Amino acid sequence: MPSENALVRFVDIQKSYDGESLVVKNLNLDVAKGEFLTMLGPSGSGKTTCLMMLAGFEPATHGEIYLKENPINKVPPHKRGIGMVFQNYALFPHMTVAENLAFPLEVRQIDKSERETRVKRALDMVQLGAFGDRRPAQLSGGQQQRVAVARSLVFDPDLVLMDEPLGALDKNLREQMQYEIKHIHENLGLTVVYVTHDQSEALTMSNRIAVFDDGIIQQCAPPEDLYERPENAFCANFIGENNRLLGNIIEDHGDSIKVEIDNDAGVVEAKKVNVGDIGSRTTLSLRPERVTVNPEPGEVPNIFSGKAEELIYLGDHIRTRFTVCGHDDFIVKIPNSAAHAHLKEGDTVNIGWNVEDCRALDPSD
Amino acid sequence: MTTQTALPEGPILTADGIPLKDSLQKSLRQNKLRAMFLVSTPLLFLVFLFIIPIGNMLTRSVDDTFINRVLPSTIEAFESWDKVSEPPESLYSAFVNDVKAADKVDIGKVSTRMNYAKPGWKSLVKRTARKIKKLKGPEYKDDLIKIDKRWADKEFWLSLGIMKDKATFGYFLNAVDKTYDFDKNIIDVEEERKVYNTLWYRTLLVSFIVTIACLILSYPVAYLLATLPMRISNLLMICVLMPFWTSLLVRIVAWMIMLQQNGVVNDTLVASGILSDENRLAMMYNFNGTIIVMTQILLPFMILPLYSVMKTIPPTYMKAAQNLGATPTLAFIRVYMPQTIPGIGAGCILVFIVAIGYYITPELVGGKDGRLIGNMVAYHMQKSLNWGLAAAMGSILLAAILLLYWLYDRIIGIDNMKMG
Ligand SMILES: Nc1ncnc2c1ncn2[C@@H]1O[C@H](COP(=O)(O)OP(=O)(O)O)[C@@H](O)[C@H]1O
Ligand SMILES: [Mg+2]
């Protein structure tokens, strides 16, 4: 229900393009003022659709969107005053960079001198002060991206939407732009709704991440919560690396449960997060860096023997693939330090983990 | 570290010791030969279907050698005459000898040519030629004057002065209602013989109006074609292309049925009470007919280039403009339309060029005041057989088109043109 300083509220939003299937299913989401909220999800999960509804280019089939507590379903896009960075930038090719930036000011009938100062300020903000007279086609991808960001901000919107703005850039540039966008967000106190399918981008930039799958928000939480405490198998899998063990619940101890892994591969004690009653199925989720190799007896409750199948040397850690409990895709990250085990392929060792680190989630499939 | 062999002095050699340049040339030669072969076919087409005919046309428009060939001694005698005294006997006898020596058909043609310089030549020569064989000589002046007293008229002889050169601008002058006087000064033709300037002016006016009308009508159609969902736009595209599959004559006849005094349009207007029976609109056999029918026929030439440009404009531009605060109308005007300029340019040039040389439609539905210069070209090609004048008009049309291209290139840039 209405939280005090929500800038944007999606209330019971549903969206269908064809009248047969829902692309967005019952979306409820608040975006606080000053927040950097990322919609993260695989392609086709409805992220762009949500953004388009917020920007006013797609009507919601059901539900209401509020901007500063005002319902905006009937407000046309040009009256919403929301900045937006499009996926392919959508810089007007027949205008120079400066004209592109002046456009939103011109249509707001801001006078010429004011326009020029604001265009200059926005260009300086993205370090493109000298490029005002160029055409967008004469800029590199990264520069176009900055112009697009500058243009979305030049008319001082409170809210800026960005739809995979960095998708077309190469890796280095992408990382650099992530920081720049983040700094702009912090410096200007903007509210940003950001769309990406790149989980590391989402983790780097966001205050909060809404994980989309199939038109549903699977979880909406700050990055560290999402990584450390995923609430369902989809999130655990989608964000970061994750080992999965499937099994049936055989004991329930309140906080923890005991799970019998399929094919009688052993019993694991796990933290109870998102499971049914005794006898129902569950997916155990375990981060590769939370697994100990050769634990002291009694150090951890779950100890199994595993056979090292493959070792990949990655400098700071060694990525090792084990066969454990009948799963041959069990990944462990062994830190590269003197104290840690040095394995060879084919070695069989004990590996173990804590109850806290092994989260029992919904049976995903 | 990569090792690098030290470069030897002098020319660089390949591994087997042949200078690199020779090697390269050898390897390129084959490519060149192949390229030349591939280019030769279109080149031949270009030469035979374009360069030679157009060259021929340009030559014809100024060519005036025929009279020198058929009446060589007459021209010679004319040169030695002082043009002030009465025409001397030598001129008459030279003429008679030339006519006796010449082919009958050539005499007919040359008299036609002479008639352009001074009306009357044709009938004079025709009348005389029949009897000239019987003349005995050696003096001919009095005999000729006896056959037709116009032979005593100095004017006729003087008119040879503007025909004796091997090249003439006379046809071009004729094409714009000017002519030479016998001293080769450029003068206007007599008022009642002026026809072409009005036609040039009307041709430009019609082409201009048709181009604008096509643009106004095509723009929304092309926009719909480019933006509607595939299924509907394909259907629409078929409707646009349908006229291409229908004979031009059929379409014009259809328009005649529509537009005539008792045609569909007038009947409908009268029946619905908008017009009274006496005030039926005259939409055919006049200027209006030419405009209406040409516009319809040339529409696809505008729609297709527009469509091909609009198709490449992603809808996000319109969204971005609206997101930045522009109303849909403003977004369309400021962001969408400027991006269609290459299509507008290409379409306008295409329609204008086709319109400026059009003649079938004006011929059939234009009536007297809907005729264009193209009809005159056709007339001189087929009826009057004044190919020189037809060629001159064609050359002017060609020059106008080239001028248009040049202007377009200066203003918009030819590289920006998108034909489809
Ligand atoms: N304009 C549209 N018309 C019909 N279906 C659409 C349209 N836009 C998106 N969709 C469908 O909606 C689903 C979600 O699309 P989208 O919101 O673009 O996903 P995302 O941005 O997460 O990749 C997809 O299955 C897509 O095919
Ligand atoms: Mg998308």
Side-chain angles (χ1 to χ4, degrees):
Chain A
M1 274 294 93
S3 62
E4 268 312 296
N5 49 3
L7 186 67
V8 178
R9 283 199 300 131
F10 290 91
V11 178
D12 297 333
I13 293 293
Q14 291 182 320
K15 172 72 188 176
S16 172
Y17 285 106
D18 52 9
E20 283 166 15
S21 59
L22 283 173
V23 170
V24 175
K25 300 166 187 162
N26 202 29
L27 175 79
N28 283 289
L29 181 65
D30 287 6
V31 184
K33 210 164 162 33
E35 190 175 28
F36 194 118
L37 180 114
T38 298
M39 295 177 173
L40 172 68
S43 180
S45 55
K47 311 179 296 291
T48 300
T49 304
C50 289
L51 225 51
M52 286 299 159
M53 287 191 288
L54 183 48
F57 296 114
E58 287 292 346
T61 312
H62 173 82
E64 186 70 71
I65 302 174
Y66 296 87
L67 182 64
K68 297 177 193 160
E69 300 304 321
N70 301 313
I72 55 168
N73 280 12
K74 298 216 166 56
V75 180
H78 64 274
K79 290 196 181 140
R80 295 197 180 188
I82 298 174
M84 182 151 185
V85 180
F86 287 83
Q87 198 157 4
N88 297 312
Y89 316 142
L91 298 176
F92 306 138
H94 58 292
M95 299 184 189
T96 64
V97 167
E99 284 165 350
N100 262 284
L101 264 66
F103 183 82
L105 305 177
E106 241 170 88
V107 299
R108 286 177 172 74
Q109 275 145 18
I110 289 169
D111 68 62
K112 194 154 189 291
S113 58
E114 167 78 6
R115 231 155 52 201
E116 276 164 9
T117 39
R118 283 168 75 168
V119 167
K120 187 167 177 330
R121 199 194 324 143
L123 277 178
D124 287 341
M125 180 179 70
V126 294
Q127 290 113 47
L128 285 177
F131 291 82
D133 293 333
R134 298 243 193 131
R135 289 287 166 97
Q138 297 167 315
L139 300 179
S140 71
Q143 289 167 335
Q144 290 181 21
Q145 216 285 323
R146 285 161 205 246
V147 175
V149 171
R151 190 179 66 177
S152 73
L153 297 174
V154 72
F155 59 97
D156 294 334
D158 299 324
L159 175 65
V160 180
L161 315 181
M162 303 192 183
D163 189 0
E164 313 214 9
L166 308 180
L169 304 183
D170 61 47
K171 188 164 172 293
N172 283 339
L173 204 52
R174 198 158 64 216
E175 281 168 6
Q176 188 192 339
M177 284 308 299
Q178 286 171 10
Y179 289 111
E180 286 188 23
I181 291 176
K182 187 73 193 145
H183 288 153
I184 290 172
H185 162 247
E186 279 159 8
N187 293 341
L188 301 185
L190 291 171
T191 309
V192 178
V193 178
Y194 191 96
V195 163
T196 182
H197 62 261
D198 179 341
Q199 46 123 341
S200 74
E201 191 166 297
L203 291 174
T204 319
M205 303 178 78
S206 323
N207 299 130
R208 219 151 48 103
I209 301 174
V211 180
F212 273 66
D213 184 41
D214 198 22
I216 293 172
I217 294 187
Q218 300 288 341
Q219 187 173 355
C220 184
E224 49 293 9
D225 278 9
L226 209 54
Y227 186 84
E228 308 276 348
R229 288 177 283 281
E231 270 163 18
N232 54 43
F234 178 84
C235 291
N237 240 343
F238 195 73
I239 297 182
E241 220 175 348
N242 177 52
N243 290 309
R244 295 200 299 171
L245 298 171
L246 302 175
N248 292 314
I249 302 169
I250 51 173
E251 282 176 39
D252 189 340
H253 301 288
D255 266 356
S256 69
I257 53 175
K258 288 212 163 138
V259 176
E260 169 150 30
I261 306 300
D262 292 350
N263 307 324
D264 290 330
V267 175
V268 175
E269 192 178 350
K271 183 178 163 70
K272 182 180 170 187
V273 180
N274 180 11
V275 292
D277 299 329
I278 291 174
S280 58
R281 292 187 59 71
T282 179
T283 305
L284 300 183
S285 154
L286 185 58
R287 298 286 182 202
E289 68 274 15
R290 296 298 171 90
V291 180
T292 322
V293 177
N294 284 332
E296 301 292 324
E299 183 186 338
V300 290
N302 296 302
I303 297 187
F304 294 89
S305 99
K307 178 162 171 254
E309 303 282 359
E310 192 179 1
L311 289 95
I312 298 170
Y313 181 77
L314 287 170
D316 60 336
H317 71 268
I318 295 151
R319 206 179 127 89
T320 312
R321 184 165 63 82
F322 281 98
T323 301
V324 177
C325 301
H327 291 73
D328 66 353
D329 56 355
F330 195 94
I331 305 292
V332 178
K333 289 181 182 170
I334 305 174
N336 187 4
S337 68
H340 278 87
H342 294 273
L343 298 179
K344 289 194 298 295
E345 275 174 28
D347 287 354
T348 300
V349 290
N350 277 342
I351 57 179
W353 57 85
N354 263 315
V355 175
E356 286 299 305
D357 296 328
C358 183
R359 297 169 68 81
L361 305 173
D362 55 313
S364 54
D365 38 38
Chain B
M1 277 290 299
T2 52
T3 54
Q4 205 161 25
T5 43
L7 290 177
E9 293 291 312
I12 307 170
L13 305 182
T14 57
D16 45 2
I18 305 165
L20 191 57
K21 264 197 184 138
D22 295 359
S23 241
L24 181 66
Q25 234 154 39
K26 205 164 137 202
S27 67
L28 288 183
R29 195 168 307 142
Q30 246 187 352
N31 280 349
K32 267 192 205 153
L33 280 177
R34 190 178 310 144
M36 255 154 70
F37 175 75
L38 287 176
V39 163
S40 62
T41 321
L43 206 64
L44 280 178
F45 264 102
L46 201 68
V47 167
F48 278 104
L49 297 180
F50 207 67
I51 297 180
I52 291 182
I54 287 187
N56 192 287
M57 177 183 79
L58 291 175
T59 321
R60 260 178 204 282
S61 66
V62 293
D63 177 52
D64 208 9
T65 52
F66 192 64
I67 194 164
N68 286 319
R69 253 187 290 137
V70 181
L71 305 174
S73 31
T74 313
I75 299 292
E76 218 170 283
F78 173 78
E79 297 279 24
S80 50
W81 171 40
D82 61 11
K83 279 90 175 171
V84 185
S85 56
E86 284 303 303
E89 165 60 29
S90 62
L91 203 48
Y92 289 91
S93 42
F95 179 76
V96 171
N97 288 333
D98 279 343
V99 171
K100 279 182 175 172
D103 187 58
K104 218 177 129 192
V105 180
D106 284 350
I107 293 295
K109 279 195 197 163
V110 92
S111 67
T112 309
R113 160 66 187 101
M114 290 160 84
N115 208 53
Y116 302 150
K118 174 153 178 59
W121 261 120
K122 188 168 179 142
S123 66
L124 181 56
V125 172
K126 198 174 171 190
R127 188 161 201 215
T128 314
R130 262 185 277 129
K131 302 178 182 168
I132 226 163
K133 291 266 152 62
K134 289 179 205 133
L135 299 180
K136 292 283 170 353
E139 299 260 310
Y140 295 105
K141 183 169 181 175
D142 295 336
D143 291 334
L144 284 183
I145 293 173
K146 209 183 292 166
I147 293 172
D148 192 318
K149 62 174 183 304
R150 280 181 287 176
W151 282 114
D153 188 348
K154 209 169 133 189
E155 290 277 290
F156 277 97
W157 292 111
L158 281 173
S159 72
L160 284 177
I162 52 175
M163 295 183 262
K164 66 182 176 22
D165 293 335
K166 296 217 158 80
T168 177
F169 273 114
Y171 295 122
F172 281 97
L173 293 180
N174 285 166
V176 291
D177 287 341
K178 306 238 181 243
T179 188
Y180 285 124
D181 66 8
F182 300 147
D183 299 324
K184 274 212 136 176
N185 298 316
I186 296 169
I187 52 164
D188 285 355
V189 299
E190 303 98 78
E191 209 52 48
E192 66 275 10
R193 294 186 58 209
K194 283 189 175 172
V195 270
Y196 302 125
N197 278 349
T198 343
L199 283 180
W200 283 113
Y201 169 73
R202 188 189 296 150
T203 304
L204 289 180
L205 185 69
V206 165
S207 303
F208 184 74
I209 295 176
V210 167
T211 305
I212 298 299
C214 276
L215 180 61
I216 293 171
L217 293 176
S218 300
Y219 206 90
V221 177
Y223 181 75
L224 287 180
L225 272 175
T227 50
L228 282 179
M230 195 66 127
R231 209 157 27 85
I232 306 171
S233 71
N234 277 347
L235 200 70
L236 196 58
M237 184 57 110
I238 290 174
C239 297
V240 168
L241 293 178
M242 193 92 82
F244 275 147
W245 307 332
T246 320
S247 147
L248 186 61
L249 282 176
V250 171
R251 277 188 281 160
I252 295 175
V253 169
W255 271 113
M256 292 167 99
I257 295 168
M258 294 282 290
L259 298 181
Q260 54 187 257
Q261 282 287 304
N262 295 309
V264 179
V265 176
N266 269 323
D267 283 351
T268 314
L269 288 177
V270 171
S272 61
I274 296 172
L275 281 182
S276 64
D277 205 21
E278 312 84 70
N279 293 333
R280 283 171 177 264
L281 298 172
M283 290 178 291
M284 210 171 53
Y285 304 125
N286 58 16
F287 191 76
N288 299 342
T290 302
I291 298 278
I292 295 173
V293 181
M294 272 176 75
T295 301
Q296 193 270 336
I297 285 171
L298 296 181
L299 268 180
F301 292 98
M302 185 69 89
I303 294 178
L304 292 179
L306 277 176
Y307 165 74
S308 77
V309 168
M310 289 175 174
K311 194 77 193 161
T312 63
I313 302 175
T316 40
Y317 287 125
M318 281 290 281
K319 285 187 183 160
Q322 290 177 61
N323 174 258
L324 293 169
T327 60
T329 320
L330 191 61
F332 192 81
I333 294 170
R334 289 285 314 274
V335 173
Y336 195 84
M337 293 226 305
Q339 294 187 63
T340 60
I341 284 177
I344 296 178
C348 286
I349 282 217
L350 210 57
V351 169
F352 196 87
I353 286 173
V354 178
I356 211 174
Y358 225 66
Y359 85 99
I360 299 180
T361 310
E363 188 71 44
L364 293 176
V365 296
K368 205 163 116 307
D369 56 349
R371 290 261 157 81
L372 305 182
I373 207 75
N375 301 99
M376 273 300 145
V377 176
Y379 169 77
H380 286 302
M381 292 290 292
Q382 296 162 349
K383 299 269 169 55
S384 81
L385 300 184
N386 187 353
W387 284 27
L389 182 55
M393 288 173 169
S395 303
I396 294 175
L397 281 177
L398 182 66
I401 289 166
L402 292 178
L403 178 77
L404 214 63
Y405 269 119
W406 180 77
L407 276 177
Y408 184 87
D409 191 34
R410 289 296 300 273
I411 299 168
I412 300 175
I414 223 87
D415 302 341
N416 280 331
M417 176 137 52
K418 294 232 178 72
M419 281 296 183

